[in-house]
Amino acid sequence: KAGVTQTPRYLIKTRGQQVTLSCSPISGHRSVSWYQQTPGQGLQFLFEYFSETQRNKGNFPGRFSGRQFSNSRSEMNVSTLELGDSALYLCASSLDNSPLHFGNGTRLTVT
Amino acid sequence: GQNIDQPTEMTATEGAIVQINCTYQTSGFNGLFWYQQHAGEAPTFLSYNVLDGLEEKGRFSSFLSRSKGYSYLLLKELQMKDSASYLCAVRPSTDSWGKLQFGAGTQVVVTP
């Protein structure tokens, strides 16, 4: 079974731009969560989607948004990028009552 | 407040045992996870404790005391490949398995 797939692996953007990251969950997993990982803050929860609905949201500004499609694939978008948005963005999927399986992440650098 | 504390780094010798402690103060508690993350890779699930006591899985064991807000991960017969960051995470809500609160991680360095 294929794992969680995130694209792209690396991304370089400039301040003020916007970016869209993509995540394909493990087949059969309907829950998708997004996390931001930085050296200073560690792993921080962004949002969780289940059956195309946002079920939970973390404490991030409105510039961070996401969505989930009917095939459970998910995207997250960050608008008006800031230098502090440079991070590893991790997507994770799960069956609804089981541990998270993480993808390898998208490394975003904002210059 | 919400806090999950674990040591920043631990060093141990190949073949030895290392115990990584995690203390937590969270607004809700519905289980505690341990994940392993090698540099540049995805975190991988190691263990889940929701009731007090010890869970053993091969060389890895995890313990939970809910009354003390405390857990530990025990790594036995250390191997070089165990050099990684170990993340403690609490599941605060009953309605979600996707929303976890993570500690900053403990970097374990295994030396020959």
Side-chain angles (χ1 to χ4, degrees), chain A residues 41-84:
Chain A
Q41 300 294 320
L43 269 154
Q44 291 192 289
F45 172 76
L46 279 156
F47 20 67
E48 178 193 14
Y49 288 88
F50 182 80
S51 292
E52 301 179 69
T53 302
Q54 187 179 85
R55 188 154 66 174
N56 279 290
K57 191 176 191 309
N59 295 325
F60 279 81
R63 301 184 296 106
F64 292 80
S65 62
R67 58 179 177 167
Q68 186 181 33
F69 302 95
S70 58
N71 60 359
S72 293
R73 194 177 69 84
S74 178
E75 288 180 347
M76 68 162 278
N77 185 78
V78 189
S79 62
T80 321
L81 283 165
E82 301 176 0
L83 294 179

Side-chain angles (χ1 to χ4, degrees), chain A residues 33 35 37 48 56 96 100 103, chain B residues 35 37 42 87 96-98 100:
Chain A
S33 298
Y35 287 81
Q37 187 173 32
E48 178 193 14
N56 279 290
D96 200 30
L100 295 177
Chain B
Y35 279 84
Q37 187 178 25
L87 304 163
S96 167
W97 284 77
L100 301 181

Side-chain angles (χ1 to χ4, degrees), chain A residues 9 31 33 35 37 43 45 48 55-57 88 90 94 96-100 102-104, chain B residues 33 35 37 40-45 48 87 93 95-104:
Chain A
R9 286 297 309 275
S31 171
S33 298
Y35 287 81
Q37 187 173 32
L43 269 154
F45 172 76
E48 178 193 14
R55 188 154 66 174
N56 279 290
K57 191 176 191 309
L88 180 67
L90 290 163
S94 69
D96 200 30
N97 56 354
S98 66
L100 295 177
F102 284 88
N104 283 326
Chain B
F33 295 84
Y35 279 84
Q37 187 178 25
E41 296 183 12
T44 55
F45 168 73
Y48 173 61
L87 304 163
S93 313
D95 67 343
S96 167
W97 284 77
K99 180 180 179 181
L100 301 181
Q101 274 178 252
F102 280 85

Side-chain angles (χ1 to χ4, degrees), chain B residues 24 29 32 49-54 62-66 70-71:
Chain B
Y24 62 89
F29 181 84
L32 187 142
N49 295 68
V50 65
L51 300 176
D52 291 352
L54 188 68
S62 56
F63 171 83
L64 176 67
S65 167
R66 288 171 297 171
Y70 167 71
S71 172

